[in-house]
Amino acid sequence: MHTDEELAEAIFPEVTETVADLERRYPRRNLPQGAEVTRFAPSPTGFLHTSSLFTALVAYTVAKRTQGVYFFRLEDTNQKREVAGTGDQLVDQLAWFGIKQDEGYMGDGRPEQGSYGPYVQSQRKAIYDAVIKEMVRRGRAYPCFCTKEDLDELRKVQEANKVVPGYYGNYARCRTRTVAEDLKLIKAGTPFVIRFRSQGDHNRFFAVKDLVRGTLSLPENDQDIVIRKSDGLPTYHFAHLCDDHFMGTTVVTRGEEWLSSLPIHIELFKAMDWEAPKYAHLPVIMVNDPETGNRRKLSKRKDREAAVSFFIREGYPKDGLLKYLMTISNSNFEEWLRQNPRTPILSFPFSFAKMSREGALFDLPKLTDISQNVLA
Ligand code: GLU
């Protein structure tokens, strides 16, 4: 009988580095107790969005207030969506606001800082492959040879059966193929992606703590998600697992749109026997749509306030925008600001527990008011 070990070798004959080697290369960080390691991890797909500035500000504040580390990682695994030069712009614009990374990607042509790199995901392929190889060995990942047509067909069947869509359980047809069959297909040069083998069940719930939202009860993941795409690069989910593990991130601050992926991430960490970081899913910034009057997310396409460059162009002082974003971050910030108008904002006792759980409504008059005070 063929083993998962043979399958791992057949898929990754050139990968000799092991997870143990990687653990040695990226040792646990030696930081004082309570120090948090946070990161800002944008995709280089466009301008600095106001919500991203907010996310970066929170990550930076948490690291600085705890004498921790704040780093910048460029998430460029979706190369079709990449817009050249935007990674550098993001670094420069954040630096203009004083949000400077302690380590990570520092912009094009500047050397990376820190010993947990490379900090650009497209340069980390060898790391991802070493971890995927280990997952295949453990029987927790497998090659999937389904074509686009196969997946379209699957979607139709699931629609007709009125079941949860996706690649899972009995619908995951490459999941049950024997290693001998996999080896034959690989040898024949059949193209494949690699999927995670989930052990979850979406009818079961588990408890997970979010720093903003408290303890949540979420359905387990049961999707055999793709972890390695046909171009050899990892998906976001898998890169998050490897990068935040080896880079020693202790708190992941990211937009609440990622909350629905949390069960996948928790299961991935479990599959590797790694401790998951703490998570803080931040509220999105909302606006009242001028046409419909309904609340909706601040939109790149519709709202000029979505681009940080708008405020810069209009002459808003940077401190005004940062202070305004802090009012969104913590409900007691405004009162603190009234009492401490000249104190640097890092002195404010920021806390995740004081963060609003609902999306915060963008309030231009309030921003203008705060900015006028800053200028005065
Ligand atoms: N690249 C992801 C994004 O831009 C990062 C999310 C995260 O911080 O984990 O949304």
Short mmCIF file of all heavy atoms in Angstrom, two decimals, residues 43-46 78-83 300:
data_model
loop_
_atom_site.label_atom_id
_atom_site.label_comp_id
_atom_site.label_asym_id
_atom_site.label_seq_id
_atom_site.Cartn_x
_atom_site.Cartn_y
_atom_site.Cartn_z
N SER A 43 -2.81 43.85 0.67
CA SER A 43 -2.53 43.37 -0.68
C SER A 43 -2.22 44.62 -1.52
O SER A 43 -2.90 45.63 -1.36
CB SER A 43 -3.74 42.66 -1.25
OG SER A 43 -4.06 41.58 -0.42
N PRO A 44 -1.23 44.52 -2.39
CA PRO A 44 -0.86 45.71 -3.17
C PRO A 44 -1.81 45.91 -4.34
O PRO A 44 -1.45 45.74 -5.49
CB PRO A 44 0.56 45.37 -3.64
CG PRO A 44 0.59 43.88 -3.68
CD PRO A 44 -0.34 43.38 -2.65
N THR A 45 -3.04 46.27 -4.02
CA THR A 45 -4.05 46.34 -5.09
C THR A 45 -4.64 47.73 -5.26
O THR A 45 -5.58 47.91 -6.03
CB THR A 45 -5.21 45.38 -4.80
OG1 THR A 45 -5.67 45.64 -3.46
CG2 THR A 45 -4.78 43.94 -4.90
N GLY A 46 -4.14 48.71 -4.54
CA GLY A 46 -4.71 50.05 -4.74
C GLY A 46 -4.25 51.04 -3.70
O GLY A 46 -3.30 50.77 -2.96
N ASN A 78 -2.19 37.18 -4.86
CA ASN A 78 -3.17 37.24 -5.94
C ASN A 78 -2.60 38.16 -7.02
O ASN A 78 -2.90 39.34 -7.08
CB ASN A 78 -4.50 37.78 -5.41
CG ASN A 78 -5.62 37.58 -6.42
OD1 ASN A 78 -5.36 37.40 -7.62
ND2 ASN A 78 -6.84 37.62 -5.96
N GLN A 79 -1.73 37.56 -7.85
CA GLN A 79 -0.94 38.41 -8.73
C GLN A 79 -1.76 39.04 -9.85
O GLN A 79 -1.34 40.03 -10.43
CB GLN A 79 0.27 37.62 -9.21
CG GLN A 79 1.04 37.13 -7.96
CD GLN A 79 2.50 36.90 -8.16
OE1 GLN A 79 2.91 36.24 -9.10
NE2 GLN A 79 3.30 37.43 -7.26
N LYS A 80 -2.94 38.47 -10.11
CA LYS A 80 -3.78 39.07 -11.15
C LYS A 80 -4.33 40.42 -10.70
O LYS A 80 -4.57 41.30 -11.50
CB LYS A 80 -4.97 38.13 -11.46
CG LYS A 80 -4.58 37.03 -12.43
CD LYS A 80 -5.81 36.19 -12.79
CE LYS A 80 -5.47 34.73 -12.64
NZ LYS A 80 -6.42 33.96 -11.85
N ARG A 81 -4.54 40.55 -9.39
CA ARG A 81 -5.14 41.79 -8.88
C ARG A 81 -4.11 42.86 -8.51
O ARG A 81 -4.46 43.97 -8.16
CB ARG A 81 -6.02 41.47 -7.67
CG ARG A 81 -7.31 40.76 -8.07
CD ARG A 81 -8.22 40.57 -6.85
NE ARG A 81 -8.34 41.82 -6.09
CZ ARG A 81 -8.33 41.90 -4.76
NH1 ARG A 81 -8.20 40.83 -4.04
NH2 ARG A 81 -8.46 43.06 -4.16
N GLU A 82 -2.85 42.49 -8.61
CA GLU A 82 -1.81 43.42 -8.16
C GLU A 82 -1.73 44.68 -9.03
O GLU A 82 -1.82 44.61 -10.25
CB GLU A 82 -0.47 42.69 -8.17
CG GLU A 82 0.64 43.52 -7.59
CD GLU A 82 1.84 42.69 -7.15
OE1 GLU A 82 1.72 41.46 -7.03
OE2 GLU A 82 2.88 43.31 -6.93
N VAL A 83 -1.56 45.83 -8.40
CA VAL A 83 -1.35 47.07 -9.14
C VAL A 83 0.06 47.54 -8.81
O VAL A 83 0.37 47.81 -7.64
CB VAL A 83 -2.39 48.15 -8.75
CG1 VAL A 83 -2.18 49.42 -9.56
CG2 VAL A 83 -3.81 47.62 -8.92
N LYS A 300 -14.82 52.17 -2.02
CA LYS A 300 -13.74 52.72 -2.86
C LYS A 300 -14.31 53.43 -4.07
O LYS A 300 -13.78 54.41 -4.53
CB LYS A 300 -12.91 51.55 -3.42
CG LYS A 300 -11.89 50.98 -2.53
CD LYS A 300 -10.92 50.18 -3.39
CE LYS A 300 -10.41 49.00 -2.60
NZ LYS A 300 -9.36 48.25 -3.21
#
